Amino acid sequence: MSTYLIKDAKVLGGDAQDVLIRDGLIAGIGAGLTAEDATVVDAAGQILLPGLVDLHTHLREPGREDAETVATGANAAALGGFTAVHAMANTDPVADTAGTVEQVWRLGQESGRCDVHPVGAVTVGLEGKRLAELGAMADSAARVRVFSDDGKCVDDAVIMRRALEYVKAFDGVVAQHAQEPRLTEGAQMNEGTVSGELGLRGWPAVAEESIIARDVLLTAHVGSRLHVCHVSTAGSVEILRWAKSKGWNVTAEVTPHHLLLTDELVRSYDPVYKVNPPLRTAADVTALREALADGTIDAVATDHAPHPSEDKDCEWAVAAMGMLGLETALSIVQETMVDTGLLDWAGVADRMSTRPADIGRLDGHGRPIAVGEPANLVLVDPGARRTVEPSELASRSRNTPYAGLVLPGRVVATFLRGEPTVIDGKLA
Amino acid sequence: MKRHLISAADLTRDDAILILDTAEELAHIAERPIKKLPTLRGRTVVNLFFEDSTRTRISFEAAAKRLSADVINFSAKGSSVSKGESLKDTALTLQAMGADAVVIRHHASGAPHRLAGSGWLRGSVVNAGDGTHEHPTQALLDAFTMRRRLAGGRGDLEGRRITLVGDVLHSRVARSNVLLLATLGAEVTLVAPPTLLPIGVETWPCTVSYDLDAPLPKSDAVMMLRVQRERMNAAFFPTEREYSRRYGLDLRRMAMLPEHAIVMHPGPMNRGMEIAAEVADSTRSTIVEQVTNGVSVRMAVLYLLLGGNEPALSAPSTTGTEEIAK
């Protein structure tokens, strides 16, 4: 195995130190380290973080390999600084059996760029009617611990209760896509002043908040673990804050795009901004940033949702929902949280690595940067600026809302178990 | 004026007045034995209709033909669109065929905006109704009708009180009318049950009432919006009977209007539901006039968007259309 010596890196944004990587582990940390057999990486001015962990990625394989494959998604993840991602279950076929989750897991292993942890569906076919074989998926080679019908809400309270109860047997977590279906029938964007003016059917905040309120109560009732996907409203934040104050085992994530973009952008009718949950108001964005800073929201998750151009280069009503996220997530978090003073780099490491790894019960990721720990690491140049050029993305799709924008920060290198998956900003 | 007409908000007061004045000039064409001008000779106007609308399509077709444009009617039904062709590919086809203007009716809000802003087409785009968003030429023809009846066909509608009643939530006509009438200085009141008003309506340039009787005595015009019966299942109101009692315009309510006030409806009407048959057929009703005026207004819009920069009727045919339509 290789040996690398990272020189003068600011560990978690702190003082510059050298970090020696040998045999897949962190072998030394300190000033003035030397190692004759090591490849030296000059990291002056750069920040070293634990490899990022995404709780919410859509890799589209099996079924929509024209949009993304596990391999192309893993490449995008590595370039974004991720060493582990959770692949959502809404593939075709749905990842609701041990066989399908093992297939996705093995494809991730073969990619070599990133650990891919499949999310298992909560219900068969995401239909919300019968529990999928959660135990079989947990016992499979993929060792599934996160279960979600993401894309759809588990809206039947009894099914949700049973799922929360059942996953306790293997320390699983139910990740809920909180969307009351009747309140959001035909919904196209955030319900508010802009939807009223544009004549687009609204997706009201209360449709998210009412499900979260119900689910935190169910979680408390059965004593299980709930994770709330892509929180998007100020009201949801208040409910989570209350649930956490009660000591209930509830966690939540926010996407980078909900930390930056607002529903005002929909005035362009450009489907690149069509996403579920929808872009909300500036007041919601402020509340989400504050909640991520104070820990009410535990993690940043990309909700990376690749779509081919024919599904986006069309009129708003028929366009697919979702946007890319893996390759821009860290830059958006830097812009919205670090450069605004809301979070330091240690906080970024917590929200984008430690906490998501803990929620997903991953052993080798989200670990401290310390001797003996797995060398899953990312080097970031916070002073760099880059213009997002869709044609240069590693994802198979191009549906990024940041095309042409200049974003702060650049992932210089990513290490997966001591081997670089990205070096000098390019795939190794 | 801008190159496209997508929203009533695209129009400044001067733009709107120019269109209405031009329409006033062009209205006289209908009184001639030969109802035709050479103004848009050699130009191609495509009526691109993804949604059924005989009334609006014929109105645009008549308008374009009276200006001597070549008209192509493209209906999504039975076309390549029904075989799955995208809006983009349809637009590229029209571009390749040299369309100078595309009049689009679409069931999706924002489709004309997308067509105009995407770079798929070089010609002008006219919104002939998109989803529940806007229908700007309907608002223009309504304003034209009000101006003729209330202001002698001149100027703006400063200080006129207009009441719009009914399903505002799903009405593209209401959205465009509120925007245009506010631009023209009118005071607009929307009347509807709370379930049929959009979120954020308080930010619109109008006042809102749940009570129809209150604004009627001060209204110069009352415009009834069609109740879409297919929405009954969505619990927007309890029964047709209750809706009709609370928000329908019957003879009793019409009697509350000032003597000069007019009754409008963009059609098609549900007689006996939002409007009583006696009201629809009364002398105060402008419903048929609105249809007639629609042709004049759409002539004006096409003429001005396609380069007309002189009074429409002063364009001598001997100079050719090229000089007029720069």
Side-chain angles (χ1 to χ4, degrees):
Chain A
M1 295 185 83
S2 311
T3 301
Y4 285 88
L5 180 59
I6 301 173
K7 297 289 289 181
D8 297 325
K10 296 179 177 177
V11 176
L12 302 185
D15 293 338
Q17 298 186 77
D18 302 337
V19 177
L20 180 65
I21 300 172
R22 179 169 280 152
D23 297 333
L25 300 175
I26 297 173
I29 302 178
L33 296 186
T34 56
E36 286 186 4
D37 57 336
T39 303
V40 175
V41 178
D42 178 8
Q46 296 170 11
I47 289 167
L48 188 67
L49 303 175
L52 308 183
V53 176
D54 193 12
L55 276 167
H56 195 141
T57 308
H58 295 274
L59 293 181
R60 305 297 187 214
E61 189 176 12
R64 283 307 302 268
E65 291 83 357
D66 58 326
E68 194 80 285
T69 65
V70 171
T72 60
N75 287 346
L79 286 165
F82 291 89
T83 52
V85 300
H86 288 78
M88 275 297 168
N90 60 341
T91 48
D92 184 14
V94 170
D96 58 3
T97 64
T100 309
V101 294
E102 284 194 356
Q103 178 195 4
V104 173
W105 176 74
R106 287 186 195 287
L107 287 167
Q109 294 281 299
E110 288 167 14
S111 84
R113 304 281 190 195
C114 179
D115 286 349
V116 175
H117 297 276
V119 173
V122 176
T123 65
V124 175
L126 308 179
E127 290 180 348
K129 293 176 180 153
R130 289 183 297 130
L131 288 183
E133 290 189 346
L134 309 177
M137 290 188 275
D139 292 341
S140 73
R143 291 189 68 255
V144 175
R145 290 296 178 271
V146 182
F147 297 89
S148 180
D149 277 0
D150 180 63
K152 290 184 176 178
C153 180
V154 181
D155 65 308
D156 183 315
V158 172
I159 296 286
M160 186 63 185
R161 172 189 174 153
R162 299 287 180 247
L164 286 165
E165 287 175 325
Y166 197 81
V167 299
K168 287 162 65 178
F170 34 84
D171 196 21
V173 62
V174 179
Q176 175 70 291
H177 173 120
Q179 177 180 2
E180 208 291 319
R182 280 282 281 157
L183 284 171
T184 53
E185 274 179 6
Q188 302 273 334
M189 66 170 296
N190 179 47
E191 181 177 288
T193 306
V194 180
S195 69
E197 290 176 22
L198 296 184
L200 292 173
R201 197 173 294 180
W203 195 134
V206 70
E208 175 175 302
E209 294 153 2
S210 59
I211 291 291
I212 296 175
R214 181 201 72 175
D215 285 353
V216 298
L217 292 170
L218 279 174
T219 303
H221 183 64
V222 305
S224 186
R225 283 207 295 143
L226 170 74
H227 178 71
V228 184
C229 295
H230 40 50
V231 171
S232 69
T233 80
S236 297
V237 166
E238 285 308 306
I239 295 163
L240 290 165
R241 197 166 274 140
W242 172 74
K244 289 196 167 194
S245 75
K246 295 282 190 183
W248 298 339
N249 209 338
V250 175
T251 57
E253 69 190 31
V254 63
T255 72
H257 49 270
H258 286 109
L259 291 172
L260 179 67
L261 310 175
T262 72
D263 64 351
E264 287 290 333
L265 291 161
V266 182
R267 291 185 188 280
S268 66
Y269 285 108
D270 185 341
V272 79
Y273 300 115
K274 187 173 177 182
V275 65
N276 187 9
L279 301 178
R280 303 291 188 180
T281 67
D284 291 309
V285 167
T286 300
L288 293 169
R289 289 183 185 185
E290 288 171 353
L292 183 64
D294 70 20
T296 302
I297 293 176
D298 301 80
V300 174
T302 68
D303 198 3
H304 177 79
H307 291 292
S309 63
E310 62 267 26
D311 291 349
K312 280 293 196 180
D313 206 5
C314 54
E315 51 274 44
W316 181 276
V318 298
M321 293 179 174
M323 52 181 65
L324 299 182
L326 285 170
E327 292 172 75
T328 49
L330 193 57
S331 289
I332 302 301
V333 170
Q334 182 181 336
E335 177 161 325
T336 58
M337 302 299 296
V338 180
D339 292 352
T340 54
L342 288 167
L343 210 58
D344 59 17
W345 285 102
V348 173
D350 180 70
R351 308 300 196 274
M352 295 189 77
S353 182
T354 309
R355 293 292 294 142
D358 181 45
I359 292 164
R361 297 295 192 253
L362 304 186
D363 296 332
H365 295 274
R367 303 292 304 166
I369 299 179
V371 174
E373 293 288 351
N376 295 318
L377 300 164
V378 57
L379 260 179
V380 184
D381 181 357
R385 294 285 180 276
R386 60 164 177 159
T387 303
V388 179
E389 174 49 62
S391 65
E392 294 173 359
L393 297 174
S395 172
R396 187 163 276 186
S397 293
R398 298 286 171 262
N399 52 309
T400 174
Y402 311 116
L405 290 185
V406 178
L407 298 183
R410 175 171 173 265
V411 171
V412 178
T414 308
F415 292 88
L416 177 64
R417 285 181 287 280
E419 297 295 336
T421 56
V422 170
I423 201 85
D424 290 333
K426 295 186 174 62
L427 289 171
Chain B
M1 273 182 62
K2 294 181 178 176
R3 183 157 61 96
H4 310 291
L5 179 57
I6 307 299
S7 162
D10 296 343
L11 301 170
T12 63
R13 180 184 172 281
D14 287 348
D15 288 336
I17 296 289
L18 176 63
I19 293 171
L20 297 176
D21 287 346
T22 304
E24 196 66 55
E25 283 187 71
L26 291 168
H28 298 299
I29 298 297
E31 295 157 14
R32 294 182 180 178
I34 298 173
K35 301 177 180 59
K36 206 158 176 108
L37 287 175
T39 313
L40 295 183
R41 197 170 55 201
R43 299 300 191 99
T44 301
V45 175
V46 178
N47 286 326
L48 179 58
F49 275 56
F50 290 85
E51 188 182 76
D52 291 335
S53 173
T54 308
R55 172 190 314 240
T56 303
R57 186 185 59 74
I58 290 175
S59 182
F60 269 105
E61 185 174 354
K65 284 181 170 171
R66 282 185 189 173
L67 295 171
S68 301
D70 297 319
V71 180
I72 297 170
N73 288 315
F74 183 100
S75 169
K77 272 187 187 167
S79 74
S80 51
V81 171
S82 62
K83 298 172 192 163
E85 185 174 81
S86 68
L87 179 64
K88 178 181 179 179
D89 287 332
T90 302
L92 293 175
T93 301
L94 298 179
Q95 174 62 34
M97 289 179 178
D100 296 296
V102 174
V103 177
I104 177 173
R105 161 69 65 97
H106 204 289
H107 43 77
S109 299
H113 191 286
R114 191 91 179 108
L115 197 62
S118 60
W120 300 333
L121 272 177
R122 282 196 295 275
S124 294
V125 176
V126 181
N127 182 1
D130 62 327
T132 54
H133 180 219
E134 285 216 45
H135 195 354
T137 60
Q138 177 72 41
L140 283 163
L141 76 88
D142 290 336
F144 183 85
T145 304
M146 289 176 210
R147 208 169 72 138
R148 278 197 152 184
R149 285 289 201 108
L150 304 174
R154 289 181 302 277
D156 56 21
L157 294 168
E158 187 67 38
R160 299 292 173 177
R161 291 172 172 167
I162 317 295
T163 303
L164 274 67
V165 188
D167 184 357
V168 177
L169 180 65
H170 301 104
S171 174
R172 50 196 173 208
V173 174
R175 279 174 180 73
S176 288
N177 261 294
V178 167
L179 291 168
L180 181 68
L181 290 170
T183 299
L184 291 172
E187 296 173 18
V188 181
T189 301
L190 295 175
V191 179
T195 49
L196 289 175
L197 286 167
I199 298 283
V201 72
E202 65 278 1
T203 64
W204 294 16
C206 60
T207 56
V208 175
S209 170
Y210 305 140
D211 174 17
L212 177 54
D213 288 345
L216 286 181
K218 295 177 183 171
S219 295
D220 295 303
V222 55
M223 183 185 303
M224 307 307 295
L225 302 170
R226 185 170 75 90
V227 174
Q228 298 173 40
R229 284 194 153 105
E230 61 273 22
R231 301 197 189 282
M232 284 292 293
N233 291 337
F236 286 108
F237 48 85
T239 62
E240 286 191 27
R241 177 186 162 90
E242 173 155 325
Y243 180 90
S244 188
R245 281 186 178 174
R246 291 179 66 84
Y247 298 102
L249 188 64
D250 55 12
L251 285 174
R252 179 187 70 82
R253 286 200 168 110
M254 188 168 75
M256 296 166 71
L257 289 166
E259 208 157 303
H260 68 277
I262 56 174
V263 172
M264 308 180 76
H265 195 301
M269 288 180 284
N270 295 307
R271 287 174 182 255
M273 175 78 175
E274 70 265 5
I275 190 165
E278 301 89 336
V279 177
D281 297 332
S282 75
T283 53
R284 291 180 165 211
S285 165
T286 63
I287 294 164
V288 176
E289 264 176 74
Q290 286 170 262
V291 176
T292 305
N293 294 340
V295 177
S296 306
V297 162
R298 285 164 181 140
M299 287 172 75
V301 167
L302 290 172
Y303 170 71
L304 292 166
L305 285 181
L306 291 178
N309 54 8
E310 296 174 22
L313 289 189
S314 68
S317 59
T318 51
T319 62
T321 53
E322 292 75 12
E323 288 181 25
I324 302 162
K326 285 171 187 165

